[in-house]
Amino acid sequence: MATSLIIGCGDTGVRVAARAVAAGEEVVGVVRSVASAARVRAVGARALTLDLDGDLSALPACDRLFYFAPPPREGETDTRMATALAALPSLPEYVVYISTSGVYGDCGGAWATETQPLRPGTARARRRVDAERQVRALRGDAIVLRAPGIYGPDRLPVDRLRAGEPILDDAAGGWSNRVHIDDLAEYAWQAGRTRWAHGVYNACDGQPTRLGIFYDTLADMLGLERPARIGWDEAETRFSAMRLSFLRESRRLSNARLVADSGIEPHFTDFRDGLAASLRAQSAD
């Protein structure tokens, strides 16, 4: 029986865990909280509660390693990943890491490809670049999935819309890229059990849009007012530093390489279908 180890078994990790359990594997999800542990056990996996900044000697050997935990909030390197990889009892056969499209930095609205030089514009993104290098050093055939904004059930800006918060005007902002969480989980699971031709992939729906279209569509579905638009001057007084850092970067992501190598089209190629499915799932909960 193969063993899947999921470090950082949150929303995406639980979905991967459910797939591995359904495939008859032993699954261990590493979490930090009691609530997260309960979610892992609910899909039939074993929960291992650990502090990634502490002692990780309890990490088990595994055939498939899925690393989904975020880096520390400070520094230029992912020290958590370094500690975790060093603690593994043996080398996994498959390694999958979910990174971020932020490693490309600002592309001025141009298409960002997996082969272009990385120009991370923030310390947060530089920590992700370091993490990518670490997993590729562990295994040369490790798979890195560069994800943009992840959306899905309970991962929508519903509260912002209900509060009447404005958004940056599209004329002042850049492009928006996204991936539905179920599609991301499916890609991660498949990457952890098959060999693909390349090591790095943009994990997105391949349909970049302006941010306003996403918010307006969601508002219409909820029967709410569409958000007002503001310019940069006002945005800098209302938005957090982190939110502004995302808005300052503009790029468009294609998933052509991922679809070609995996042979899997994302289920939610149109974000409107993804939004509708997410809202239905939230209503069912």
Side-chain angles (χ1 to χ4, degrees), residues 22 36 47 50 59 99 101 112 142 174 180 195 229 242 251 272 283:
S36 294
L50 293 173
L59 288 178
S99 183
S101 59
H180 191 281
R195 301 293 183 194
R229 270 54 168 178
M242 179 173 286
R251 53 189 166 265
R272 298 166 184 82
S283 297

Side-chain angles (χ1 to χ4, degrees), residues 39-161:
R39 292 183 62 201
V40 169
R41 289 192 292 269
V43 298
R46 177 164 71 92
L48 181 60
T49 305
L50 293 173
D51 181 354
L52 294 182
D53 296 315
D55 180 12
L56 300 181
S57 59
L59 288 178
C62 62
D63 302 284
R64 315 184 204 283
L65 171 63
F66 299 92
Y67 194 101
F68 301 157
R73 293 187 177 183
E74 297 181 350
E76 299 283 318
T77 61
D78 189 341
T79 53
R80 289 175 180 167
M81 176 177 282
T83 302
L85 297 186
L88 292 173
S90 58
L91 181 66
E93 183 178 359
Y94 295 91
V95 177
V96 180
Y97 173 56
I98 294 181
S99 183
T100 170
S101 59
V103 297
Y104 295 117
D106 181 27
C107 300
W111 288 91
T113 68
E114 292 91 342
T115 59
Q116 71 187 51
L118 302 183
R119 295 188 177 89
T122 64
R124 181 182 64 251
R126 288 190 289 274
R127 291 191 289 271
R128 291 289 190 171
V129 171
D130 175 70
E132 289 188 8
R133 290 171 178 160
Q134 288 189 54
V135 294
R136 295 304 300 263
L138 180 72
R139 283 204 66 105
D141 57 2
I143 298 297
V144 173
L145 300 175
R146 291 176 179 157
I150 304 171
Y151 76 103
D154 300 314
R155 298 180 69 102
L156 302 174
V158 175
D159 290 342
R160 288 180 179 176
L161 287 171

